[in-house]
Amino acid sequence: MKVLVLNGSPKRDASDTMHITRAFLEGMGEGAQIEAEIIHVIDRHIEFCRGCFACKRNGGRCAQQDDMAEILQRILAVDVLLFNFPLYCYGMPAALKNLIDRTMPLSAMAMQKVGERYEHVGQTDYAHLRYVMICGCGFPNSRHNFEPAVAQFKLMFPNNHTIITVPESPMFNAPEAAPVTAPRLKLVRQAGREYAQTGKISPALLEQLASPMIPEDMYARIANGEAPE
């Protein structure tokens, strides 16, 4: 199983959320044989989409010459596309959103009705792809934080998607928080095993991952520089 990780964090490997993704990949490796590649999007030359739609009229060739053509080939060559990103203003960081904008060459101008909405017809076969979103945030809970990013991901990838959201994610970069982060990463590895073996993660486990690691008020006091009670 081939996995391509698109890391949207400008912190690259030092990203809080990459701790979660690395544990997830470790779990996948325990459940199946995988080949994983990580692209730090911030390091790639990806111009902004001009909205010219040339790619939709000429067989998928973008008018711009940058790294995106190579990245699209890598995307099409894998089985799982994993989006790793921290929550920025209730969405994904700009560099990752820009990359997604530049996937326009995968579809044509023609559209068709699918269910209750219209979608562009693909001019490349990517039906085999499965999509995983791993997103962490610095707030102490998941409520009223992840909803916009989750809704966007579901609309972009309405089929074969799996979404993991984890609050209090800066704790993964704090060695002194290991007594609470280590058990959470163990659950993430379990989720990776489940996903590799079944293509799914149980709702109960996803709910555990989305729960605070320490009480919300305690986390807020620590984040504010106050002594926890």
Side-chain angles (χ1 to χ4, degrees), residues 55-75:
C55 63
K56 294 187 178 298
R57 298 187 176 96
N58 64 10
R61 295 185 304 277
C62 181
Q64 304 192 79
Q65 303 298 314
D66 57 14
D67 291 343
M68 198 59 209
E70 174 204 348
I71 292 173
L72 285 176
Q73 290 304 312
R74 293 191 183 195
I75 287 173

